[in-house]
Amino acid sequence: MIDVVLIGAGNVATHLAIGLHKRGIHIRQIFSRTTTSAQLLAEQVGATFTSSKSAIYTDASLYICSVKDSEISTVLTNIDFHNKLLIHTAGSVALDILAPFSANYGVLYPLQTFSKSKPINWEQCNLFIEANNEKNAEFILQIASLLSTKVQIIDSEKRKNLHIAAVFACNFTNHLYTLASELMLGSGANFNDLLPLIEETTNKLCTLSPYEAQTGPAVRQDTNIVAEHIAQLAKTDINKATIYALLSRNIMQTHKMKNKE
Amino acid sequence: MIDVVLIGAGNVATHLAIGLHKRGIHIRQIFSRTTTSAQLLAEQVGATFTSSKSAIYTDASLYICSVKDSEISTVLTNIDFHNKLLIHTAGSVALDILAPFSANYGVLYPLQTFSKSKPINWEQCNLFIEANNEKNAEFILQIASLLSTKVQIIDSEKRKNLHIAAVFACNFTNHLYTLASELMLGSGANFNDLLPLIEETTNKLCTLSPYEAQTGPAVRQDTNIVAEHIAQLAKTDINKATIYALLSRNIMQTHKMKNKE
């Protein structure tokens, strides 16, 4: 039987553990430096938990490290994996970071946004995998295929580009929703009033490229409105004004050729 | 019977004319300075069309002006509306811009993104209206209610704030999808692989505020990854690097307090 030790108990670790557990994979142990996080996740998947590196089981089939990118090496230091398969789940961390810790290693990167309180639809999630040899790739593919049919093998360099694209398409867009929600405070309307607009914006992507779907003052090269909006924002929030100006200029440049046609 | 003359034949005019036509409103005439645009729309809604201001009917119940914000006054100049009700559909243009052209005027602003080739779900569209007196407001409310149950009265100043929020939540997010699609070219994967991530990002808004839903390197204050991504982008596209840096810094600032807790 395949059994897994999770190293980390954050957003990705939590959803991975729950997803694999639901598909019959034995989540045997959760390690986290924060005992309460480890315990909370362990209880959800019937695992044991520990915050002591020396207490990590040495004979699991698979070790999944899901911690902050910058902490991967620190967390793994002083754990002896006995050359069992060790993988990380990060978009922008190269495969080779794991080389010092085991002879068998790989990556399983889910192209998704995870919040602890929101269940995830794994079937709809694209997974990108990589490994240091074919046998390990085969094993990771087997695990990944339990979660989703959308599994692709991709190298570290391309995975990093993918991660940057995901930051634009998800993290930055979501932050713009935060800024919009702040702006709604002064409008007399409610943030929820924007939801149909947001839904339609993403629905369009099913039939149009985002380039073709672009609307708004900037793509219309409506410099008066753009200048007015920047002036209005600058009165109370110079950061929003700067973001508005930069993105509008970039839209105008990107679409200049189209409007000249 | 209510009959309407449309001034303009762009994205908003097209969807409004089709929407009202489907709900039994008689679209009588389309005016556009471009004859082919006027004709194309007129044919879809059984209207006549003209590109000559002097040929615009003088006895319609309602005149809807849907042209580029910066062109409203220019287009309306030298048309005699005989004080019939004249409205515009712009987010950031004050009500009073119409005062020189008729004694009866108002606004019907749809908080939505319109592309000609994509049908619109009017029932899901928030409409914000305003008028120069109660009787006109009543009439616009009647028309707007045919399209959607989500109609609110809002003044010009608040409507402008709403429009700025919409630019952030729709136009800017869509442009980030364009940038992401460009970045995908170098990843070996396909832009469509981002769609489940984009869908989940907006789905979250039904259960979490965008502030709570924020994920990614910047909100984790992962300065190493942020710096790496900026360096990677700067190699080929300084504009994307600048946008990445500005938005990441703003995310970090916005969430600094949360992470200190």
Side-chain angles (χ1 to χ4, degrees):
Chain A
M1 192 176 65
I2 296 171
D3 64 334
V4 173
V5 171
L6 250 297
I7 303 187
N11 290 346
V12 180
T14 297
H15 287 289
L16 254 181
I18 292 170
L20 291 173
H21 173 65
K22 280 190 182 161
R23 284 152 186 86
I25 297 288
H26 182 207
I27 308 296
R28 218 169 129 201
Q29 188 181 40
I30 312 292
F31 166 84
S32 167
R33 285 168 299 183
T34 319
T35 311
T36 48
S37 311
Q39 182 172 6
L40 195 71
L41 177 53
E43 282 169 359
Q44 292 179 74
V45 295
T48 64
F49 64 93
T50 183
S51 61
S52 156
K53 288 183 182 185
S54 59
I56 293 176
Y57 299 136
T58 55
D59 59 343
S61 325
L62 176 65
Y63 293 80
I64 304 177
C65 176
S66 259
V67 298
K68 246 181 160 171
D69 299 5
S70 57
E71 292 172 7
I72 293 175
S73 290
T74 319
V75 169
L76 296 181
T77 299
N78 298 326
I79 302 177
D80 186 350
F81 291 100
H82 298 268
N83 289 328
K84 294 283 161 86
L85 181 56
L86 169 65
I87 67 173
H88 75 64
T89 60
S92 292
V93 178
L95 171 67
D96 288 346
I97 197 174
L98 300 177
F101 307 106
S102 175
N104 296 292
Y105 51 95
V107 177
L108 192 168
Y109 169 56
L111 188 63
Q112 193 48 281
T113 168
F114 298 92
S115 294
K116 268 191 187 171
S117 60
K118 171 99 174 45
I120 207 82
N121 182 354
W122 278 105
E123 288 80 13
Q124 283 304 310
C125 182
N126 284 286
L127 303 175
F128 294 87
I129 67 172
E130 187 181 9
N132 74 320
N133 65 42
E134 248 179 65
K135 188 173 155 249
N136 292 330
E138 200 52 53
F139 188 77
I140 299 169
L141 181 65
Q142 187 191 337
I143 298 286
S145 302
L146 292 172
L147 295 168
S148 165
T149 54
K150 302 174 175 181
V151 187
Q152 295 175 55
I153 296 176
I154 205 170
D155 68 30
S156 293
E157 190 61 22
K158 286 179 175 159
R159 176 160 36 83
K160 195 201 260 191
N161 285 332
L162 204 63
H163 188 207
I164 298 177
V167 168
F168 277 83
C170 163
N171 306 146
F172 290 167
T173 56
N174 186 72
H175 184 58
L176 293 176
Y177 301 144
T178 301
L179 300 184
S181 76
E182 291 174 8
L183 287 162
M184 295 292 280
L185 295 174
S187 73
N190 190 294
F191 177 68
N192 285 343
D193 292 335
L194 283 177
L195 294 182
L197 172 66
I198 291 171
E199 198 186 339
E200 177 64 11
T201 305
T202 57
N203 276 349
K204 278 186 176 180
L205 299 175
C206 302
T207 52
L208 298 170
S209 73
Y211 181 86
E212 293 166 324
Q214 189 65 48
T215 60
V219 74
R220 288 195 301 270
Q221 314 284 330
D222 199 336
T223 47
N224 288 343
I225 295 292
V226 168
E228 244 185 61
H229 284 179
I230 293 169
Q232 172 97 348
L233 290 168
K235 281 187 221 163
T236 54
D237 188 338
I238 193 67
N239 288 324
K240 286 196 185 73
T242 308
I243 290 169
Y244 190 108
L246 181 64
L247 287 173
S248 292
R249 196 167 64 233
N250 199 250
I251 292 173
M252 287 176 170
Q253 286 168 350
T254 303
H255 289 267
K256 204 181 261 171
M257 300 313 291
K258 187 174 74 172
N259 285 281
K260 274 190 180 161
E261 281 165 18
Chain B
M1 193 178 64
I2 296 172
D3 63 334
V4 173
V5 171
L6 250 297
I7 303 185
N11 290 346
V12 180
T14 297
H15 286 290
L16 254 181
I18 292 170
L20 291 172
H21 172 66
K22 279 191 182 161
R23 283 151 186 87
I25 296 288
H26 182 205
I27 308 297
R28 217 170 130 200
Q29 188 181 39
I30 311 291
F31 166 85
S32 167
R33 285 168 300 183
T34 318
T35 312
T36 47
S37 310
Q39 182 172 5
L40 195 71
L41 178 53
E43 282 169 0
Q44 292 180 73
V45 295
T48 63
F49 64 93
T50 182
S51 61
S52 155
K53 288 184 180 184
S54 60
I56 292 176
Y57 300 135
T58 56
D59 58 344
S61 324
L62 177 64
Y63 293 80
I64 304 177
C65 175
S66 258
V67 297
K68 244 181 160 173
D69 299 6
S70 56
E71 293 173 5
I72 293 176
S73 290
T74 319
V75 169
L76 297 181
T77 299
N78 298 327
I79 303 177
D80 187 350
F81 290 100
H82 298 266
N83 289 328
K84 294 284 162 84
L85 182 55
L86 169 66
I87 67 173
H88 76 64
T89 59
S92 291
V93 178
L95 172 67
D96 287 346
I97 197 174
L98 300 177
F101 306 106
S102 174
N104 296 294
Y105 51 95
V107 177
L108 191 168
Y109 170 55
L111 187 63
Q112 192 47 281
T113 169
F114 298 92
S115 294
K116 268 191 187 171
S117 61
K118 171 99 174 44
I120 207 82
N121 182 354
W122 279 105
E123 289 79 14
Q124 284 303 311
C125 182
N126 284 285
L127 303 175
F128 294 87
I129 67 173
E130 188 181 8
N132 73 320
N133 64 41
E134 247 179 65
K135 188 173 155 249
N136 291 331
E138 200 52 52
F139 187 78
I140 299 169
L141 181 65
Q142 188 190 333
I143 298 286
S145 301
L146 292 173
L147 294 169
S148 166
T149 54
K150 301 174 174 181
V151 188
Q152 295 175 55
I153 297 177
I154 205 170
D155 68 30
S156 293
E157 189 60 23
K158 284 178 176 161
R159 177 161 34 82
K160 195 202 260 189
N161 285 331
L162 204 62
H163 188 205
I164 298 177
V167 168
F168 277 84
C170 164
N171 307 146
F172 290 167
T173 56
N174 185 72
H175 184 59
L176 293 176
Y177 300 143
T178 301
L179 300 184
S181 75
E182 291 173 8
L183 287 161
M184 294 293 279
L185 295 174
S187 73
N190 189 294
F191 177 68
N192 285 343
D193 292 335
L194 283 177
L195 294 182
L197 172 65
I198 291 171
E199 197 186 341
E200 177 64 12
T201 305
T202 57
N203 276 349
K204 278 186 176 181
L205 300 175
C206 302
T207 52
L208 298 170
S209 73
Y211 180 87
E212 293 166 324
Q214 190 66 48
T215 59
V219 74
R220 288 196 300 269
Q221 314 284 330
D222 199 336
T223 47
N224 288 342
I225 296 292
V226 169
E228 243 184 62
H229 284 179
I230 293 169
Q232 172 97 348
L233 290 168
K235 281 187 221 162
T236 54
D237 188 337
I238 193 67
N239 288 325
K240 285 196 186 73
T242 308
I243 291 169
Y244 189 108
L246 181 64
L247 287 173
S248 292
R249 195 167 63 232
N250 198 251
I251 293 172
M252 286 177 171
Q253 286 168 349
T254 304
H255 290 265
K256 203 181 263 171
M257 300 311 291
K258 188 174 75 173
N259 286 282
K260 274 190 178 159
E261 281 165 17

